[in-house]
Amino acid sequence: CEQLGLPGLVIHPGSHMGSGEEVGITRIAAALDEVHTRLPGYSVQVWLEVTAGQGAHLGYTFAQLGAMIGAAGEPERLGVCFDTAHAFAAGYELRTGEGYEATWREFDETLGLDRLKAIHLNDSKKDLGSRVDRHEHIGKGLLGLEPFRLLLNDPRFRGIPMTLETEKSKDLVEDKENLAVLRSLVA
């Protein structure tokens, strides 16, 4: 990433592998410190992705991500990637204006909006709080269109890179369809 001039690398934080969340968070922070120690002076950041929390995976709450960042020796080298399907499956309501605002208020209070570096746009095949990571095409899952309408018209997120992670075919026709749907939501 550094050689390519990219600002960040998105990763899922990892799993506690049965050792418990607190131990897992400490281990993830130590791993991030190891990366930073081995790559001194690099400007590329690691962007921790919000996860669905499937199995023993960590990073499904903003508090967990905040704990990882807070325990790291160089927190300025860390950012966050928000994934719509993961956050929804983790229990963050995005389908209503009230739920959407509550989610982003908690994000800001826990992590700070300045730490948001990227957004993954995915609908979800699984319901709110299911903690199951299954992406769906935009508007065809349990999130529906409203969260994407809110997100794409929210001035706080102008300039934040947004990426589709929906299922792909060789001709990318689904990406074209998903982009057309997203573009139709912009006011």
Side-chain angles (χ1 to χ4, degrees):
C1 289
E2 189 78 13
Q3 289 177 347
L4 293 172
L6 301 175
L9 171 69
V10 176
I11 66 164
H12 287 209
S15 168
H16 63 73
M17 299 174 56
S19 63
E21 292 183 357
E22 190 172 315
V23 171
I25 289 168
T26 301
R27 190 170 41 243
I28 290 165
L32 292 166
D33 285 345
E34 179 68 22
V35 168
H36 293 152
T37 298
R38 289 183 184 206
L39 302 170
Y42 276 42
S43 64
V44 78
Q45 293 183 323
V46 174
W47 297 343
L48 303 172
E49 184 172 346
V50 174
T51 70
Q54 190 166 312
H57 291 190
L58 295 169
Y60 65 92
T61 69
F62 302 150
Q64 286 179 350
L65 293 171
M68 291 170 201
I69 292 166
E74 296 182 69
E76 69 279 2
R77 294 180 70 180
L78 301 170
V80 174
C81 174
F82 185 89
D83 184 298
T84 55
H86 294 174
F88 179 69
Y92 291 100
E93 178 62 83
L94 298 168
R95 297 172 294 187
T96 66
E98 183 178 289
Y100 175 87
E101 286 304 327
T103 294
W104 287 109
R105 185 171 40 257
E106 182 179 340
F107 186 101
D108 191 26
E109 291 169 358
T110 307
L111 298 164
L113 285 175
D114 60 321
R115 197 158 306 267
L116 178 66
K117 304 299 180 181
I119 299 173
H120 289 169
L121 300 172
N122 304 293
D123 209 325
S124 179
K125 289 184 179 182
K126 300 297 180 178
D127 210 352
L128 177 68
S130 66
R131 291 185 52 188
V132 178
D133 180 3
R134 296 292 181 275
H135 296 184
E136 181 58 276
H137 294 287
I138 305 298
K140 295 185 177 179
L142 295 169
L143 273 167
L145 293 176
E146 189 59 17
F148 301 101
R149 182 185 334 277
L150 293 167
L151 192 60
L152 293 171
N153 291 291
D154 193 326
R156 296 175 291 187
F157 307 124
R158 287 197 182 116
I160 301 286
M162 297 183 186
T163 305
L164 282 168
E165 286 189 320
T166 52
E167 191 174 325
K168 311 286 185 226
S169 62
K170 288 183 182 181
D171 62 2
L172 299 179
V173 70
E174 292 91 351
D175 274 355
K176 294 172 188 170
E177 291 170 359
N178 283 314
L179 285 171
V181 170
L182 290 169
R183 287 182 177 125
S184 76
L185 301 174
V186 177

